[in-house]
Amino acid sequence: MLTNDVSTKTSVRTINHSTGGCRKTQIKIRLLAAIPRSGSTLFMQIFREAPECAVTSRLILMGNYGMCQDFRPDYTIFHDPRSHPVYQEAKSRQKSILISKEELGHDCFKGECDYKIFPDDACMEQTKAAFLFRDPIRVFDSWKAVGWTDIQSLLIAYRNLFNTWATGQHSAIAVTYEEMINQPEQTIQRLCRRWDVNYSHRLLSFEYPFGDFLFSSERERQIYTVDNPLGLFNTVQSNKSINAHIKSHGLLTTAEKDLIEQQLGGLYMATYGDSIQPIKQALSLRTHFGFDLDDTLHEFRKASGTASVSVFNYLAAADPSTTVAELTTTYSKILSQITSGAFADGKTSDDYRRERFIALMQAHAFQYAEGDLRYMLTLYKDSLQSSLTLKSGASELLGKLKAMGKTVVVITEGPEDAQQWTLENLHIADKVDVLFTSNRMGKSKTDGLFGQVLRQLGIGAEKMVFVGDSLVRDILPASKEGVMTVHYDEAENLRLEMGSLRINSMWKLNELLC
């Protein structure tokens, strides 16, 4: 078993002045720099499939583990690579390239988040460094899923990684996890060219068992092949190819999203460079920005769910033989029946709610008076009002659009009075120029509402972009009319491609506005 006798090592790099930096070696050394939970282990699995490559991990972060009280990076792989056991093992296996995943840590109190992965630009250039970035709100969501909850450590580590790349761009490239899962061939081919690896389609299908890497210590081998602490490698272990649809855990609060996006969102978007210029250009040409309302600009499901439960609790208290769970199941069935017409028949919100509550009480044989019904309507509305919450970054985005002179249009399916009331109680009515509802227009989104809106506004489809959370009721019908669309999906990964734009927070769209 490989071990790494670090007791004779030094953390101070020895410069070889004859080469102007790190010594040239027989085996080419390549480094991927990242922060934890960014998809770097997936890259290890991908390049393990390349026959000329040996793949290892955390030589710098963990090389001096246990050798001193304070954290100290181990730069042996730069200043004396031939002495490194992993290098020797790669040589014995007749590999021509050694790829190491090098990470910053997740605990700033240990000094793991702000250390230098590369002692200088010469080492970055010699190893043809690549920096891996992932959407920071997805990174922290993944951190929280394994119990890492210190948001300051994320901010420090992410800034450190970005600043290292930004100051050494002439010596390094940036790739994003989102590009890799959405455009795997293009992204891996780019890295292969960078690292002198022969690209093959076999890199994208994993034949080698997970953990078939080189390890600098028994502890590292144990982590990857036996312990899998906190389930860190579950996703890579359970897939034999790249899975583009790993869902968010949904663990971030709105405040956490706001902080991360405000502090790191711009840095992350900057790593895309000129590749997103066509999207920015297309958005700059749109004069009208359309939005769905419910579950796009605000947390409708959560708010309406809370309001509904307040009514169910009232009914269950009146008849203890009926449970809240039973009422919830019945109400869901009623909703699917009553809302199938997308509120296009012109009734008010109270009319719809009255119908639902009557149907619910009849289904459970409740005896009720008109006063009971009025109380339930008031209870529902009061609870709904207190639960209304804007989506992260929504208010800031609308404010920016207004400052840019854009026309903000809300196109939604629902009662006109309820949707206007919602805008006012979310305190964004002054940022919306026009509200179009299926209720007033007499058409649902799938029955021509978008075309009718364009005619009412007197604009062509090329002048509008529409943002919505539903593929079926927002994206597809708007696209059918020729409108540029942006799919809002918090559970999915960001996708910055013309024709299939997808965002997971409104801050992302804000960053795309010139």
Side-chain angles (χ1 to χ4, degrees):
M1 179 55 58
L2 274 175
T3 59
N4 204 2
D5 182 7
V6 297
S7 61
T8 61
K9 294 179 182 176
T10 174
S11 62
V12 179
R13 178 177 166 273
T14 302
I15 302 293
N16 183 330
H17 296 285
S18 64
T19 62
C22 300
R23 293 183 179 128
K24 295 185 179 299
T25 60
Q26 181 181 348
I27 296 177
K28 298 174 181 176
I29 299 171
R30 303 291 182 248
L31 262 63
L32 178 74
I35 63 173
R37 317 305 294 161
S38 293
S40 53
T41 304
L42 176 58
F43 277 82
M44 291 177 67
Q45 190 76 345
I46 290 169
F47 282 94
R48 174 61 188 92
E49 298 296 325
E52 69 269 42
C53 292
V55 179
T56 187
S57 172
R58 308 198 305 175
L59 303 182
I60 301 168
L61 177 67
M62 300 305 296
N64 282 327
Y65 179 81
M67 294 299 107
C68 52
Q69 184 175 1
D70 298 325
F71 168 74
R72 186 176 63 187
D74 175 14
Y75 294 133
T76 302
I77 197 63
F78 294 123
H79 76 253
D80 192 11
R82 287 185 178 89
S83 71
H84 205 295
V86 167
Y87 180 94
Q88 292 297 329
E89 180 67 11
K91 184 177 179 181
S92 71
R93 297 187 186 189
Q94 298 183 328
K95 301 296 184 180
S96 60
I97 299 173
L98 175 62
I99 297 174
S100 182
K101 173 191 82 172
E102 294 299 336
E103 287 184 335
L104 297 166
H106 68 273
D107 189 345
C108 64
F109 296 103
K110 294 181 181 179
E112 299 174 347
C113 299
D114 56 357
Y115 79 94
K116 289 184 177 182
I117 291 179
F118 300 92
D120 55 37
D121 286 356
C123 290
M124 199 182 304
E125 185 172 358
Q126 186 73 21
T127 56
K128 294 192 174 182
F131 286 74
L132 173 62
F133 294 92
R134 188 184 184 187
D135 180 354
I137 63 172
R138 289 301 300 268
V139 173
F140 195 59
D141 179 68
S142 188
W143 279 28
K144 291 187 76 173
V146 298
W148 302 345
T149 58
D150 183 17
I151 199 168
Q152 288 303 318
S153 290
L154 172 76
L155 299 180
I156 293 169
Y158 208 100
R159 288 195 199 102
N160 182 14
L161 188 72
F162 177 85
N163 290 336
T164 304
W165 165 73
T167 57
Q169 286 189 51
H170 64 284
S171 304
I173 64 169
V175 295
T176 70
Y177 170 82
E178 286 72 24
E179 287 174 306
M180 190 268 293
I181 60 171
N182 292 320
Q183 300 174 324
E185 287 195 32
Q186 180 179 331
T187 305
I188 300 305
Q189 284 175 354
R190 181 179 172 223
L191 261 181
C192 284
R193 290 191 297 270
R194 171 74 176 172
W195 285 343
D196 307 311
V197 176
N198 294 316
Y199 176 79
S200 168
H201 290 293
R202 66 173 290 182
L203 270 63
L204 304 181
S205 298
F206 311 144
E207 300 298 328
Y208 286 99
F210 178 79
D212 190 30
F213 309 128
L214 304 188
F215 302 104
S216 61
S217 69
E218 172 60 23
R219 181 178 183 272
E220 286 292 286
R221 186 202 67 79
Q222 186 83 6
I223 287 172
Y224 276 88
T225 63
V226 180
D227 295 343
N228 185 19
L230 306 176
L232 292 176
F233 311 124
N234 286 352
T235 300
V236 180
Q237 285 180 325
S238 61
N239 289 277
K240 287 295 185 180
S241 60
I242 296 170
N243 186 345
H245 300 289
I246 303 298
K247 302 291 187 181
S248 167
H249 301 284
L251 299 177
L252 271 62
T253 65
T254 298
E256 287 172 333
K257 290 179 184 178
D258 286 344
L259 176 62
I260 292 170
E261 291 283 22
Q262 288 170 336
Q263 295 287 321
L264 304 178
L267 305 185
Y268 166 72
M269 296 293 279
T271 66
Y272 283 87
D274 292 338
S275 67
I276 57 176
Q277 284 305 314
I279 298 173
K280 291 185 174 183
Q281 178 65 17
L283 290 173
S284 71
L285 296 175
R286 268 58 187 181
T287 58
H288 290 64
F289 279 68
F291 295 88
D292 175 50
L293 179 57
D294 296 341
D295 292 311
T296 298
L297 290 177
H298 81 110
E299 303 279 4
F300 173 73
R301 285 188 183 89
K302 292 179 182 178
S304 62
T306 300
S308 298
V309 168
S310 68
V311 173
F312 304 156
N313 285 331
Y314 169 73
L315 291 174
D319 180 6
S321 66
T322 304
T323 67
V324 171
E326 291 170 339
L327 292 167
T328 301
T329 300
T330 303
Y331 196 68
S332 295
K333 294 177 182 178
I334 293 169
L335 278 179
S336 64
Q337 296 167 355
I338 292 181
T339 62
S340 59
F343 309 99
D345 51 7
K347 297 178 184 177
T348 68
S349 57
D350 271 0
D351 292 336
Y352 290 116
R353 291 167 190 163
R354 178 181 288 269
E355 287 179 7
R356 295 175 203 162
F357 294 154
I358 289 174
L360 178 64
M361 289 187 289
Q362 289 176 343
H364 289 273
F366 275 91
Q367 299 296 318
Y368 65 93
E370 177 62 24
D372 297 319
L373 195 54
R374 286 198 299 269
Y375 178 79
M376 290 164 62
L377 290 170
T378 300
L379 180 64
Y380 181 93
K381 191 170 184 178
D382 289 347
S383 179
L384 183 67
Q385 184 178 31
S386 64
S387 302
L388 287 176
T389 306
L390 279 168
K391 292 288 188 180
S392 175
S395 180
E396 291 81 359
L397 173 61
L398 297 180
K400 183 172 183 177
L401 289 170
K402 293 300 294 178
M404 294 173 67
K406 305 292 186 178
T407 300
V408 175
V409 183
V410 169
I411 306 171
T412 181
E413 292 177 326
E416 177 86 6
D417 66 320
Q419 304 303 65
Q420 183 62 47
W421 176 88
T422 299
L423 292 176
E424 291 169 356
N425 281 274
L426 287 169
H427 307 292
I428 57 172
D430 60 329
K431 298 175 182 177
V432 175
D433 295 291
V434 192
L435 169 65
F436 290 99
T437 66
S438 57
N439 184 246
R440 175 166 60 88
M441 304 295 284
K443 286 184 179 293
S444 69
K445 288 176 177 177
T446 58
D447 191 35
L449 178 59
F450 286 103
Q452 194 168 356
V453 167
L454 292 173
R455 289 188 290 275
Q456 287 256 349
L457 292 172
I459 61 171
E462 75 282 356
K463 294 294 185 181
M464 175 176 280
V465 58
F466 185 76
V467 184
D469 69 295
S470 171
L471 281 172
V472 174
R473 307 204 69 83
D474 293 320
I475 305 307
L476 294 179
S479 297
K480 187 177 179 181
E481 294 290 342
V483 173
M484 179 182 178
T485 58
V486 179
H487 186 203
Y488 180 83
D489 190 340
E490 294 175 355
E492 283 284 358
N493 292 292
L494 180 72
R495 185 166 188 156
L496 297 180
E497 299 174 37
M498 286 295 294
S500 55
L501 272 173
R502 183 173 62 226
I503 59 173
N504 53 17
S505 93
M506 292 300 171
W507 293 104
K508 300 293 195 315
L509 186 54
N510 198 323
E511 288 290 339
L512 289 168
L513 297 176
C514 297

